[in-house]
């Protein structure tokens, strides 16, 4: 028996959940789980197509467990690739890719270090060339929604900044029919979001953390400035309540054993400074086809696909 294609949405209706396609672009394995874990788990559970593109394998990350302290460079990258696969298993995401293939771009290290000058690192990559690899994914997957960092990379890491540049440029190039026609038909992404945390939420979370710190396995807490993407509340356009998927996010973060130590309701990176584990994730809508800037003044969206009428 041949199945008939499902009808498209009526005018004004959002795309059906099975037709929703979300693309996330991140710099290193673990960034996706920290920033977007509940978002990815929610949409995957709802049947949306969730695609993650990671730009490097984080070969210069600092390793937390002493028993894994021997890992460095390519060996660390290979290990972190397995951690990424485990994390995606916890989130229910089956489509996760490395920009240009494994090893195409290497971790650039922290800003200002000699590692930034390595010709093979992401910071030294030609943005248009790197964006070309992402254009191929965009035209294949045809996402309606793109999530990435702001132009500061959230906190100034060169790979995060470069991931932002590549994602934004790829979104532009993918819509241009004159660019790489051999990669398929042009595709215009309907909505682009940047990862954010409202300042009031961060302040309240750190206040609670100070009270809870004596019972946690960390001696000190981080500062609000250590949290990527903190902005004034009025810039937040969208929030995703991840209560139902908080366990999946924490499990995905735990899968990144070399990089993260989780002790709910907080976690720490290699600096051993506790910071809140956010189970509601926040975004700033920075581009929407047919309109510019914020679309819901005074009222936050609760769905990244809100207002998208077509899922072709």
């Amino acid at each position: 028996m041949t199945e008939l294609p499902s009808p498209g949405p009526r005018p004004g209706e959002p795309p059906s959940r099975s037709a929703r396609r979300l693309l996330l672009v991140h710099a290193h394995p673990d960034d996706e789980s920290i920033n977007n874990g509940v978002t990815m788990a929610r949409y995957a559970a709802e049947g949306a197509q969730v695609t993650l593109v990671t730009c490097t394998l984080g070969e210069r990350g600092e390793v937390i467990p002493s028993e894994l302290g021997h890992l460095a460079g390519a060996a660390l990258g290979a290990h972190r690739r397995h951690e990424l696969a485990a994390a995606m298993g916890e989130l229910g995401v089956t489509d996760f890719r490395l920009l240009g293939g494994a090893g195409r771009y290497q971790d650039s290290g922290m800003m200002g270090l000699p590692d930034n000058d390595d010709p093979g690192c992401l910071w030294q990559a030609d943005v248009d060339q790197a964006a070309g690899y992402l254009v191929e994914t965009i035209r294949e997957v045809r996402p309606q929604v793109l999530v990435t960092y702001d132009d500061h990379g959230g906190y100034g890491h060169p790979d995060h900044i470069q991931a932002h540049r590549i994602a934004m440029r790829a979104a532009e190039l993918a819509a241009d029919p004159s660019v790489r026609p051999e990669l398929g038909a042009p595709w215009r992404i309907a909505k682009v979001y940047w990862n954010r945390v409202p300042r009031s939420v961060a302040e309240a979370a750190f206040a609670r953390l100070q009270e809870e710190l004596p019972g946690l396995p960390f001696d000190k807490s981080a500062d609000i400035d250590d949290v990527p993407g903190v902005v004034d509340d009025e810039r937040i356009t969208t929030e995703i309540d991840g209560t139902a998927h908080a366990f999946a996010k924490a499990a995905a973060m735990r899968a990144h054993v070399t990089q993260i130590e989780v002790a709910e309701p907080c976690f720490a990176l290699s600096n051993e400074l506790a910071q809140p584990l956010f189970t509601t994730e926040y975004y700033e809508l920075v581009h929407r086809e047919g309109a510019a800037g914020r679309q819901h003044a005074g009222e936050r969206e609760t769905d990244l696909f809100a207002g998208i009428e077509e899922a072709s």
Side-chain angles (χ1 to χ4, degrees), residues 204-221 263-267 274-277:
F206 273 97
R208 290 193 299 272
L209 181 57
Q210 290 300 322
E211 297 176 356
E212 297 165 349
L213 197 59
L216 296 172
F218 310 113
D219 294 330
K220 297 180 180 180
S221 74
E264 294 177 84
C266 71
F267 71 98
Q275 56 180 293
L277 195 163

Side-chain angles (χ1 to χ4, degrees), residues 8-9 15 19-21 141-144 187-188 308-312:
R20 293 177 168 195
R21 298 181 295 276
V141 174
R142 301 188 303 165
Q144 297 102 342
W187 180 257
R188 194 173 298 276
I308 297 174
E309 297 182 4
E310 298 182 2
S312 58

Side-chain angles (χ1 to χ4, degrees), residues 200-253:
S200 67
V201 170
E203 290 173 349
F206 273 97
R208 290 193 299 272
L209 181 57
Q210 290 300 322
E211 297 176 356
E212 297 165 349
L213 197 59
L216 296 172
F218 310 113
D219 294 330
K220 297 180 180 180
S221 74
D223 297 319
I224 288 178
D225 291 343
D226 295 319
V227 177
V230 175
V231 293
D232 293 340
D233 289 34
E234 57 266 25
R235 294 185 63 174
I236 306 299
T237 61
T238 312
E239 62 180 77
I240 303 298
D241 180 0
T243 304
H245 303 286
F247 179 83
K249 174 171 181 168
M253 290 174 64

Side-chain angles (χ1 to χ4, degrees), residues 23-25 53 55 99-100 126-140 142-143 146-148 161-177 179-180 183-192 287 289:
L23 172 65
L24 304 100
V25 178
V53 174
C55 295
L99 184 69
D126 178 271
V127 170
D128 275 11
Q129 182 182 53
Y133 296 118
L134 190 57
V135 167
E136 185 173 4
T137 296
I138 291 172
R139 289 184 178 174
E140 174 196 340
R142 301 188 303 165
L146 168 66
V147 171
T148 190
I161 294 171
Q162 197 75 321
H164 158 85
R165 293 172 178 170
I166 291 166
M168 299 301 289
R169 181 59 171 153
E172 178 183 1
L173 294 175
D176 186 342
V179 173
R180 304 290 300 277
L183 296 181
W187 180 257
R188 194 173 298 276
I189 297 173
K191 299 173 79 175
V192 178
H287 172 79
E289 278 300 303

Side-chain angles (χ1 to χ4, degrees), residues 47-68:
Q49 169 67 35
V50 179
T51 299
L52 169 69
V53 174
T54 306
C55 295
T56 80
L57 285 171
E59 297 91 344
R60 291 189 167 101
E62 296 181 355
V63 177
I64 294 174
S66 58
E67 64 271 22
L68 297 175

